mmCIF file of all heavy atoms in Angstrom:
data_model
loop_
_atom_site.group_PDB
_atom_site.id
_atom_site.type_symbol
_atom_site.label_atom_id
_atom_site.label_comp_id
_atom_site.label_asym_id
_atom_site.label_seq_id
_atom_site.Cartn_x
_atom_site.Cartn_y
_atom_site.Cartn_z
ATOM 1 N N GLY A 246 -6.789 6.351 -4.258
ATOM 2 C CA GLY A 246 -7.196 5.013 -4.676
ATOM 3 C C GLY A 246 -6.083 4.391 -5.556
ATOM 4 O O GLY A 246 -4.977 4.858 -5.644
ATOM 5 N N GLU A 261 -15.104 5.127 -25.313
ATOM 6 C CA GLU A 261 -16.235 6.052 -25.058
ATOM 7 C C GLU A 261 -16.512 6.883 -26.358
ATOM 8 O O GLU A 261 -17.689 7.074 -26.723
ATOM 9 C CB GLU A 261 -15.959 6.968 -23.883
ATOM 10 C CG GLU A 261 -16.004 6.258 -22.554
ATOM 11 C CD GLU A 261 -15.470 7.170 -21.390
ATOM 12 O OE1 GLU A 261 -15.205 8.356 -21.655
ATOM 13 O OE2 GLU A 261 -15.462 6.684 -20.244
ATOM 14 N N TYR A 370 -41.096 -22.490 -74.652
ATOM 15 C CA TYR A 370 -40.161 -22.729 -73.527
ATOM 16 C C TYR A 370 -40.346 -21.749 -72.385
ATOM 17 O O TYR A 370 -39.672 -21.892 -71.346
ATOM 18 C CB TYR A 370 -38.727 -22.637 -74.064
ATOM 19 C CG TYR A 370 -38.537 -23.468 -75.308
ATOM 20 C CD1 TYR A 370 -38.466 -22.884 -76.571
ATOM 21 C CD2 TYR A 370 -38.482 -24.861 -75.208
ATOM 22 C CE1 TYR A 370 -38.307 -23.630 -77.700
ATOM 23 C CE2 TYR A 370 -38.345 -25.643 -76.335
ATOM 24 C CZ TYR A 370 -38.261 -24.994 -77.568
ATOM 25 O OH TYR A 370 -38.111 -25.785 -78.699
ATOM 26 N N PRO A 376 -48.286 -8.303 -65.667
ATOM 27 C CA PRO A 376 -48.551 -8.339 -64.213
ATOM 28 C C PRO A 376 -49.893 -7.715 -63.881
ATOM 29 O O PRO A 376 -50.310 -6.763 -64.523
ATOM 30 C CB PRO A 376 -47.437 -7.514 -63.649
ATOM 31 C CG PRO A 376 -46.739 -6.826 -64.759
ATOM 32 C CD PRO A 376 -47.176 -7.452 -66.011
ATOM 33 N N LYS A 379 -54.014 -5.517 -59.443
ATOM 34 C CA LYS A 379 -55.049 -5.724 -58.418
ATOM 35 C C LYS A 379 -54.591 -6.839 -57.468
ATOM 36 O O LYS A 379 -54.711 -6.695 -56.250
ATOM 37 C CB LYS A 379 -56.327 -6.191 -59.126
ATOM 38 C CG LYS A 379 -57.454 -5.201 -58.961
ATOM 39 C CD LYS A 379 -58.705 -5.787 -59.526
ATOM 40 C CE LYS A 379 -59.678 -4.709 -59.869
ATOM 41 N NZ LYS A 379 -60.879 -5.196 -60.435
ATOM 42 N N TYR A 403 -40.558 3.036 -62.987
ATOM 43 C CA TYR A 403 -40.338 2.808 -64.412
ATOM 44 C C TYR A 403 -41.686 3.032 -65.195
ATOM 45 O O TYR A 403 -41.725 3.705 -66.211
ATOM 46 C CB TYR A 403 -39.802 1.414 -64.675
ATOM 47 C CG TYR A 403 -39.830 1.062 -66.115
ATOM 48 C CD1 TYR A 403 -38.943 1.567 -67.048
ATOM 49 C CD2 TYR A 403 -40.805 0.138 -66.590
ATOM 50 C CE1 TYR A 403 -39.007 1.253 -68.337
ATOM 51 C CE2 TYR A 403 -40.891 -0.182 -67.910
ATOM 52 C CZ TYR A 403 -39.976 0.343 -68.790
ATOM 53 O OH TYR A 403 -40.075 0.027 -70.092
#
Side-chain angles (χ1 to χ4, degrees):
E261 288 173 3
Y370 310 105
K379 246 186 201 177
Y403 166 75

